[in-house]
């Protein structure tokens, strides 16, 4: 990646979108849903890892627990918001509204990848079952503790099978008294096996630390891997 880059920021339907690129020619587009304001730090981590040239589009400002969750489940803890399962409608916003605007500002990319961390990582894994737009998937510390997601992945068909899928997890993420969260490491290992059984090039990387350790670095490593495949 070149040191010089430009970023364009705009708002669409109440969401904040940034597009960062280092070139004007056609480059792979990596779309990532973020909590807020991670674009610059993530771009710098990707540059430090010498990622291949790409364009990064970040969307933030969504209702995290609602828009990124595939179906309704109760909250993890008391006094927290529930997961209201609006991923399909949010995915429609991305496909029908956000991506057309983003692509108008770029040379046509050779492919579009979807990336995400935590619940956005789960959303990235869910999306290929509902749309054929994304050809590569990067999910760092995805919320695969999510009830019934492993069964969904085993029994559902992709609209367009991804070329490759990257998965990662912190080695302390399953060490919790919360029974749902404690299932995450066993689940992600099962999920990697599911993808491999479908002949998808799959990487599973176990990182040091808990869910909040070096999040930008973990996401950058995920992006680098899919770009190099």
């Amino acid at each position: 990646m070149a040191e010089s880059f430009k970023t364009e920021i705009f708002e669409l339907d109440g969401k904040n979108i940034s597009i960062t690129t280092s070139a004007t020619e056609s480059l792979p587009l990596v779309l990532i849903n973020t909590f807020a304001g991670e674009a610059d730090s993530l771009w710098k981590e990707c540059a430090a890892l010498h990622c291949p040239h790409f364009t990064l589009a970040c969307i933030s400002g969504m209702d995290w627990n609602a828009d990124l969750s595939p179906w309704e489940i109760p909250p993890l803890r008391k006094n927290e918001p529930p997961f209201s399962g609006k991923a399909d409608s949010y995915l429609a916003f991305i496909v029908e509204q956000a991506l057309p605007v983003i692509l108008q500002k770029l040379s046509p990319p050779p492919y579009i990848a979807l990336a995400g961390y935590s619940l956005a990582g789960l959303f990235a894994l869910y999306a290929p079952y509902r749309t054929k737009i994304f050809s590569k998937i990067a999910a760092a510390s995805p919320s695969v503790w999510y009830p019934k997601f492993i069964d969904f992945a085993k029994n559902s068909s992709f609209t367009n099978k991804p070329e490759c899928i990257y998965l990662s997890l912190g080695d302390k993420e399953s060490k919790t008294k919360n029974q749902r969260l404690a299932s995450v490491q066993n689940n992600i290992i099962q999920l990697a096996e599911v993808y491999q059984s479908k002949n998808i090039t799959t990487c599973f990387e176990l990182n040091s630390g808990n869910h909040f350790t070096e999040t930008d670095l973990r996401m950058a490593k995920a992006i680098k891997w899919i770009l190099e495949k």
Side-chain angles (χ1 to χ4, degrees):
M1 290 173 59
E3 292 184 4
S4 60
F5 61 91
K6 63 177 183 178
T7 299
E8 180 177 353
I9 301 172
F10 60 96
E11 186 175 311
L12 182 66
D13 194 26
K15 316 295 190 300
N16 300 310
I17 301 176
S18 68
I19 304 171
T20 305
T21 188
S22 59
T24 57
E25 73 265 20
S26 175
L27 294 174
L29 172 63
V30 177
L31 177 70
I32 180 169
N33 293 289
T34 65
F35 195 74
E38 294 96 330
D40 286 349
S41 58
L42 177 56
W43 181 264
K44 289 174 183 176
E45 288 286 1
C46 288
L49 291 179
H50 304 290
C51 286
H53 292 286
F54 74 105
T55 298
L56 177 66
C58 294
I59 305 178
S60 62
M62 75 289 293
D63 185 331
W64 191 262
N65 280 23
D67 292 336
L68 301 176
S69 56
W71 45 81
E72 290 186 63
I73 65 168
L76 279 170
R77 303 173 185 86
K78 291 180 181 180
N79 302 319
E80 290 187 356
F83 300 85
S84 50
K86 296 182 179 179
D88 286 341
S89 59
Y90 179 62
L91 182 59
F93 159 76
I94 291 176
V95 173
E96 297 168 11
Q97 297 183 58
L99 270 175
V101 175
I102 292 168
L103 292 172
Q104 283 179 359
K105 300 174 182 292
L106 303 170
S107 298
Y111 63 84
I112 304 173
L114 183 61
Y117 196 96
S118 191
L119 194 60
L122 182 77
F123 178 83
L125 296 171
Y126 175 75
Y129 296 96
R130 295 289 185 259
T131 179
K132 57 181 66 175
I133 284 181
F134 306 109
S135 59
K136 299 183 179 185
I137 304 296
S141 290
S143 301
V144 295
W145 53 262
Y146 209 86
K148 300 182 179 179
F149 188 78
I150 299 301
D151 290 338
F152 171 81
K154 287 179 179 177
N155 299 315
S156 302
S157 298
F158 291 108
T159 57
N160 186 29
K161 188 172 72 173
E163 295 175 23
C164 61
I165 296 176
Y166 175 97
L167 303 166
S168 71
L169 196 70
D171 59 8
K172 295 181 180 178
E173 292 194 51
S174 62
K175 295 175 171 54
T176 172
K177 294 180 180 178
N178 186 299
Q179 291 186 346
R180 276 193 279 177
L181 294 178
S183 68
V184 69
Q185 187 162 324
N186 286 336
N187 284 4
I188 203 167
I189 291 170
Q190 286 187 60
L191 195 58
E193 292 172 351
V194 168
Y195 296 145
Q196 289 166 347
S197 73
K198 298 178 183 291
N199 296 317
I200 298 171
T201 300
T202 305
C203 174
F204 169 53
E205 185 170 9
L206 194 63
N207 297 299
S208 298
N210 62 27
H211 188 67
F212 302 101
T213 302
E214 297 182 320
T215 56
D216 286 334
L217 175 59
R218 290 183 187 179
M219 197 71 258
K221 287 164 65 177
I223 290 172
K224 181 178 181 181
W225 187 87
I226 61 169
L227 290 172
E228 291 179 341
K229 289 300 165 185

